[in-house]
Amino acid sequence: MSIARRALLAVAAMPAAALATESGPVLELAGQIAPPSPRSLSLAEIEAFGATGLVTHTPWTTGPQHFAGVTVERLLTVLDARGATLRATALNDYMVSMPVAEVVADGGFLATRIGGAPMPVRTRGPLWIVFPWSARPQLENAVTRQRSIWQIRRIEIA
C-alpha cells in the first residue's frame, strides 16, 4: 500500500483529538518513564521540554528542511527514561524499535514543526523522528531511514 494511501486511511481512522493542533494530545508516552505512564502530551508540552531547531535534507524531501522540536536525548532525559529500547508507533500502526543509545548517538530529533508550522498528517506529522543527515552523511543508510518514522502517535521505552 502506498504511503499516501496509508496516510489517508490513518486520518480517516483517527479520532478528532488525534488531529489536534498545539493544545490537544498528539503523543502517548509509555513504558520505563517517570510516572505517570502512560501519559499524553500536546505539541506545546513536547516543545516546552526545550524546543530547538534542525536544518537538514531528508531522503523523502527536496532541499534543506527547517525542523523544530526536541532531541530524542532531551525527551528521554525529561521523561527520566530508563529503558534501552525506544519503540515508536505510527498512526497506521507501523512500528520500529531502536536502541536508545544508538538513536541518541546518531542525533535523533523528534520534529514537531517544519518551516515553523505544525506538521499535518498528510505531510508526515504530527511528529517525525529525523536525523542530521546533512551534517552527518554516514547516517544516510537503510537502518537510519527505517528509524525515521513519521506520523508518530506513541513512543514506548522498554
Side-chain angles (χ1 to χ4, degrees), residues 105-128:
D106 289 343
F109 187 85
L110 183 65
T112 59
R113 297 173 184 273
I114 191 165
M119 294 182 290
V121 171
R122 71 179 175 277
T123 56
R124 299 179 183 89
L127 303 167
W128 183 8

Side-chain angles (χ1 to χ4, degrees), residues 137-154:
Q138 69 274 21
L139 294 175
E140 182 55 54
N141 60 62
V143 171
T144 306
R145 283 191 303 274
Q146 178 190 18
R147 292 176 179 171
S148 186
I149 181 173
W150 53 72
Q151 296 178 335
I152 298 171
R153 66 173 171 86
R154 177 180 167 87

Side-chain angles (χ1 to χ4, degrees), residues 62-144:
T62 303
Q65 303 299 307
H66 296 259
F67 294 104
V70 296
T71 64
V72 171
E73 180 176 30
R74 179 71 184 149
L75 177 71
L76 297 175
T77 298
V78 170
L79 295 172
D80 195 24
R82 300 289 180 203
T85 303
L86 184 152
R87 292 186 192 121
T89 305
L91 294 171
N92 65 359
D93 292 327
Y94 173 79
M95 195 271 298
V96 63
S97 292
M98 55 192 101
V100 166
E102 290 180 20
V103 73
V104 167
D106 289 343
F109 187 85
L110 183 65
T112 59
R113 297 173 184 273
I114 191 165
M119 294 182 290
V121 171
R122 71 179 175 277
T123 56
R124 299 179 183 89
L127 303 167
W128 183 8
I129 293 178
V130 295
F131 294 87
W133 288 286
S134 294
R136 299 172 63 189
Q138 69 274 21
L139 294 175
E140 182 55 54
N141 60 62
V143 171
T144 306

